[in-house]
């Protein structure tokens, strides 16, 4: 793992001074909730990759070339927190990041998170999604993505982090308790 941090206190100190933060991890793990809380506390602009770049209204996937063309302008800004795991844009995002938070909790917790989110936002659009992307019952492909995330996607995330930001500090948060502890250390409300 590139520049891995194991100490939550040290990570909180780095976060307090960071102006560009990436939050990555499997769907349903709590990335967006954590991201919004950090943004509120540190007064950072919140950028949801899903809302800003990946999706158009009605769950229409944005063209990859258009998606990629939109990201550099946002990444060039002085301050941001980007919530999203799309490793195909790590070459644009990681070199500008000052810290990466990897929400890396169990697939069971991620599946539970997706189920809870589905009930909470049933018939509505989540704040981190593009307008008109009404919450849906997860399909088999999405559930399979979550189930196999660690085996299929995590190694690629590690490789891309190493390639594009070997010196960028990365904190892996492996439970909701660790996320709450980090927020407590920051002084952010949980």
């Amino acid at each position: 793992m590139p520049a891995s941090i194991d100490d939550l206190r040290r990570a909180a100190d780095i976060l307090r001074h960071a102006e560009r933060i990436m939050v990555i991890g499997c769907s349903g793990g709590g990335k967006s909730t954590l991201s919004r809380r950090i943004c509120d506390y540190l007064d950072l602009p919140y950028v949801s990759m899903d809302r800003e770049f990946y999706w158009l209204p009605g769950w229409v996937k944005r063209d990859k070339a258009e998606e990629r063309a939109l990201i550099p302008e946002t990444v060039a800004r002085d301050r941001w927190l980007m919530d999203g795991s799309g490793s195909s844009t790590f070459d644009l995002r990681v070199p500008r990041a000052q810290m990466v938070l990897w929400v890396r909790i169990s697939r069971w917790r991620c599946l539970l998170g997706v189920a809870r989110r589905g009930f909470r936002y049933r018939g509505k659009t989540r704040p981190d999604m593009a307008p008109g992307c009404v919450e849906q019952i997860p399909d088999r492909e999405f559930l399979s993505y979550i189930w196999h995330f660690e085996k299929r996607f995590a190694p690629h995330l590690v490789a891309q982090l190493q390639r594009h930001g070997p010196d960028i500090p990365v904190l892996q948060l492996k439970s909701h308790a660790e996320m709450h502890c980090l927020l407590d250390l920051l002084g952010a409300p949980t």
Side-chain angles (χ1 to χ4, degrees):
M1 175 64 63
S4 184
I5 300 173
D6 296 326
D7 180 8
L8 286 174
R9 288 185 191 282
R10 181 168 167 248
D13 189 50
I14 293 170
L15 274 176
R16 275 189 208 93
H17 299 94
E19 296 189 319
R20 292 178 303 279
I21 302 164
M22 286 176 55
V23 180
I24 63 173
C26 185
S27 300
K31 292 185 312 291
S32 299
T33 301
L34 177 67
S35 295
R36 286 191 303 273
R37 288 182 178 152
I38 291 171
C39 285
D40 287 347
Y41 183 72
L42 298 178
D43 195 30
L44 285 172
Y46 172 64
V47 179
S48 165
M49 298 292 290
D50 283 332
R51 184 184 63 224
E52 306 297 329
F53 308 120
Y54 297 154
W55 295 103
L56 296 168
W59 291 103
V60 174
K61 188 79 172 100
R62 188 183 302 272
D63 176 72
K64 278 285 186 196
E66 183 184 349
E67 169 190 304
R68 208 168 155 76
L70 291 170
I71 293 171
E73 180 183 330
T74 302
V75 170
R77 295 177 188 156
D78 291 335
R79 303 179 76 243
W80 44 259
L81 182 147
M82 283 195 188
D83 162 14
S85 299
S87 63
S88 66
T89 61
F90 273 25
D91 63 317
L92 302 172
R93 298 186 294 141
V94 173
R96 289 278 298 150
Q98 294 171 321
M99 182 165 197
V100 175
L101 299 177
W102 186 344
V103 175
R104 201 167 186 184
I105 66 173
S106 78
R107 59 185 168 191
W108 289 106
R109 290 292 294 185
C110 290
L111 289 169
L112 180 60
V114 165
R116 286 181 175 161
R117 179 172 80 193
F119 284 113
R120 179 176 182 195
Y121 290 102
R122 188 171 148 201
K124 299 183 238 171
T125 300
R126 288 184 276 132
D128 50 297
M129 288 305 301
C133 291
V134 176
E135 193 66 22
Q136 302 175 340
I137 295 172
D139 62 14
R140 184 181 184 132
E141 181 181 348
F142 185 57
L143 295 174
S144 177
Y145 167 79
I146 293 169
W147 189 257
H148 297 288
F149 185 87
E150 275 300 312
K151 185 175 181 181
R152 291 185 187 160
F153 302 101
H156 188 63
L157 294 177
V158 170
Q160 292 299 309
L161 287 168
Q162 184 63 47
R163 180 176 181 194
H164 299 294
D167 299 323
I168 306 295
V170 177
L171 173 67
Q172 295 183 54
L173 296 161
K174 296 188 177 182
S175 69
H176 287 135
E178 286 185 356
M179 287 186 252
H180 289 296
C181 184
L182 179 64
L183 290 169
D184 286 344
L185 289 167
L186 279 174
T190 55

